[in-house]
Amino acid sequence: KEKEKEKREVKKSLFGGSDDDQFSPINKKEENKSLVDDVNLFGTNNKKSSLFLDNDGDDDPFISKEKKISSSPQVVVKSETQKKSIFSDDEDDPFTSETKSTKQSKTEKKVEENINSAKVEVKAEVKEEVKPVVQAPVVQAPVKRDYTPDADALYSAMKGFGTDESGLVGIIGNRTRAELHEIDLAFRVKYGKLLTDKIKDEVGGNFQKVLVNVIQTPALTDSIYLYESMAGIGTNETVLNEIVATRDGEEMEKIKLTYVEKYRSGLQSMVKGDTTGKYETLLLALIDGERGKGETQVDHKKVEEDAQTLYQNSSEAAFIRVLGRASNAHVTAIAGLFVSKYGKSLQEVIKKNFSGHFEDLLVILVTPRADYFADKLYKAMKGLGTDDTTLIRVITTRYGVDLEDIKKAYTQKHHKSLYEAVKSETSGDYRKILLTLIGA
């Protein structure tokens, strides 16, 4: 009875009212309904009532069966599930001390921490793995120049009656050999005719010869000179020796190909038909020899061996073997060492032991090229009159090759500039084009 009284006092304090009207047996159903209504304040229909009403139909929520409900794991799980279903995501949970906004704030904070942590890890990985990229230098293809304007200007200079010789000199005299070749090609494409043929139609004499020689490829100009030196009766050994002795292996290869293309016969065959003996042998050795092809530097050990060979053995065969296949740089080194080591020049040895065209060819081989051509030009203009054929041949064939070296050698040897010498010996348009090619 005391326990029942205590329970009623508790109920009275919880729900208010009196013992008679609130907890009388008659009104127990209304009491249970009131409890259910109170539970429904949390937003559910009879789901929360299982927390207070026993499963056996007992109306008193605080009877001993309540203990059984709370001690049952199955009921606890069910109660938690029901609790979650009762409160939606849009409402605060009254059974916890945290509101939804507080929980959401914590969740967002945790997510943000995780993201920042992931960023730091990624940055660390990138910092370790990514290596600086070394970008290769951009190589731009050279822009090819259009030579059509030069071709048009030359055509205009020769169009109609008369010729603008100054216009021809202004363009042809101020272009490199490579540029003149491109201008010639552009002229052919646009006007359907070789530039050299057009010039031959418009101008003549020495002026024409100079223009044609520098417009043609060096190999073609040399091929023509070689052919003319051996064509017809007799041979011009001076021209033959000059060209064969002063061209290197690569230049001679181009000459041989051009010669065959133009004259339908080999240069070697022509030489064999016009020369004989050791002289012929040396010419053929020079035409077919390596003479510097693929050589990047002088082999000084070989130079010493060759100098000693020529000093000890002054036979024709020895000189052909040593000098017939050597490059100009190698021969120049031999000549220099020969003087310093044996106290005399190779020219002296050659002139003492040999004669004729064979001697002349050997002397050209052992003479520095710039000195040889400087002397050749000096002789062409020395005394009365001028050897225009030699003057034209030397200047036009050395233009773009070693003409600058020849100018220096000329001044040193003859105490006068090549420019002034040519100016005093020539005149007219012929003088203009030569002086333009030589340069002041």
Side-chain angles (χ1 to χ4, degrees):
K1 287 181 182 180
E2 290 178 356
K3 287 181 180 179
E4 289 294 330
K5 186 176 180 181
E6 288 175 358
K7 289 180 180 179
R8 290 188 180 190
E9 291 293 329
V10 170
K11 291 178 183 179
K12 183 177 179 182
S13 64
L14 289 172
F15 301 102
S18 62
D19 292 342
D20 295 334
D21 60 355
Q22 183 84 20
F23 299 104
S24 63
I26 299 173
N27 296 325
K28 281 186 178 181
K29 290 184 178 181
E30 285 79 6
E31 177 186 343
N32 289 339
K33 182 178 180 182
S34 176
L35 285 172
V36 171
D37 291 340
D38 289 339
V39 172
N40 286 340
L41 292 174
F42 296 101
T44 183
N45 293 325
N46 296 328
K47 291 183 179 180
K48 199 72 177 180
S49 61
S50 61
L51 296 173
F52 303 96
L53 302 178
D54 63 300
N55 294 331
D56 295 335
D58 194 346
D59 293 335
D60 192 346
F62 293 97
I63 61 175
S64 60
K65 287 185 178 181
E66 181 183 357
K67 296 180 180 181
K68 294 180 182 180
I69 293 172
S70 63
S71 64
S72 175
Q74 206 171 13
V75 173
V76 170
V77 172
K78 183 177 179 181
S79 298
E80 290 298 323
T81 303
Q82 288 174 338
K83 176 182 172 183
K84 290 179 181 179
S85 65
I86 290 171
F87 302 102
S88 64
D89 293 338
D90 297 331
E91 296 178 353
D92 294 339
D93 189 349
F95 292 95
T96 63
S97 60
E98 295 178 341
T99 63
K100 178 179 177 293
S101 60
T102 305
K103 290 168 68 178
Q104 184 176 0
S105 176
K106 288 186 176 181
T107 302
E108 291 176 353
K109 184 176 181 181
K110 187 174 183 180
V111 170
E112 185 177 357
E113 290 176 355
N114 291 337
I115 292 174
N116 293 334
S117 176
K119 287 181 179 179
V120 171
E121 292 177 2
V122 170
K123 287 182 179 179
E125 291 178 2
V126 170
K127 187 175 182 180
E128 292 176 0
E129 296 178 3
V130 176
K131 296 180 180 179
V133 178
V134 179
Q135 188 174 3
V138 178
V139 179
Q140 296 182 349
V143 179
K144 189 174 181 180
R145 178 181 168 184
D146 183 11
Y147 292 94
T148 304
D150 281 345
D152 292 339
L154 291 173
Y155 180 80
S156 299
M158 296 180 283
K159 184 180 179 181
F161 294 102
T163 302
D164 180 8
E165 287 84 0
S166 297
L168 297 179
V169 172
I171 295 175
I172 297 173
N174 291 286
R175 302 294 185 270
T176 64
R177 296 301 291 263
E179 290 173 335
L180 289 171
H181 178 66
E182 294 295 333
I183 294 170
D184 183 32
L185 293 177
F187 195 92
R188 296 185 206 181
V189 171
K190 187 161 186 178
Y191 300 105
K193 189 173 185 177
L194 292 174
L195 177 57
T196 52
D197 289 344
K198 183 65 175 175
I199 288 174
K200 290 176 183 178
D201 294 339
E202 298 294 329
V203 298
N206 291 331
F207 182 53
Q208 177 202 102
K209 291 178 183 178
V210 175
L211 293 177
V212 171
N213 276 8
V214 295
I215 292 172
Q216 292 173 161
T217 63
L220 179 55
T221 301
D222 286 342
S223 295
I224 294 172
Y225 276 121
L226 288 170
Y227 177 81
E228 292 176 350
S229 70
M230 295 180 283
I233 300 173
T235 303
N236 186 343
E237 288 83 6
T238 301
V239 175
L240 181 61
N241 290 351
E242 177 185 302
I243 294 177
V244 172
T246 59
R247 277 35 170 190
D248 60 28
E250 292 181 358
E251 290 172 329
M252 190 56 67
E253 285 297 318
K254 294 177 182 179
I255 291 170
K256 288 189 291 184
L257 291 173
T258 306
Y259 193 96
V260 171
E261 182 181 347
K262 185 171 180 62
Y263 299 108
R264 303 302 178 188
S265 64
L267 177 60
Q268 298 92 323
S269 300
M270 195 75 168
V271 170
K272 289 177 181 179
D274 278 60
T275 59
T276 58
K278 297 300 181 181
Y279 175 52
E280 175 191 332
T281 304
L282 180 56
L283 283 171
L284 293 176
L286 294 170
I287 291 171
D288 293 326
E290 292 296 317
R291 304 187 66 193
K293 286 189 291 187
E295 182 179 298
T296 57
Q297 59 184 5
V298 176
D299 185 346
H300 295 286
K301 183 178 180 181
K302 179 65 174 171
V303 168
E304 292 182 3
E305 293 175 357
D306 289 342
Q308 185 176 358
T309 298
L310 296 179
Y311 178 74
Q312 295 175 348
N313 184 0
S314 57
S315 66
E316 295 171 338
F319 273 79
I320 292 173
R321 184 174 66 254
V322 173
L323 303 181
R325 298 181 180 277
S327 67
N328 180 62
H330 189 82
V331 173
T332 301
I334 293 173
L337 180 62
F338 202 93
V339 172
S340 62
K341 190 171 184 179
Y342 303 111
K344 53 184 175 181
S345 67
L346 273 176
Q347 287 94 331
E348 293 177 32
V349 175
I350 290 170
K351 290 178 179 179
K352 180 180 178 180
N353 292 280
F354 309 112
S355 61
H357 302 309
F358 185 74
E359 174 195 339
D360 295 339
L361 184 56
L362 287 175
V363 169
I364 296 174
L365 286 172
V366 299
T367 302
R369 287 184 183 176
D371 290 345
Y372 168 78
F373 285 117
D375 291 339
K376 200 76 176 177
L377 290 170
Y378 177 78
K379 293 176 182 178
M381 295 180 285
K382 182 181 179 181
L384 297 175
T386 303
D387 182 359
D388 293 302
T389 302
T390 300
L391 186 63
I392 292 171
R393 184 182 69 249
V394 173
I395 291 177
T396 58
T397 58
R398 307 322 294 172
Y399 174 67
V401 181
D402 56 1
L403 188 56
E404 291 299 317
D405 295 333
I406 295 169
K407 288 165 58 179
K408 293 177 183 178
Y410 191 96
T411 303
Q412 291 173 358
K413 290 174 72 69
H414 305 292
H415 310 291
K416 186 179 184 180
S417 70
L418 179 60
Y419 184 92
E420 291 298 328
V422 171
K423 183 178 180 180
S424 64
E425 295 292 328
T426 57
S427 61
D429 296 321
Y430 172 49
R431 173 200 283 174
K432 289 180 183 178
I433 187 61
L434 286 179
L435 294 180
T436 305
L437 292 174
I438 294 169

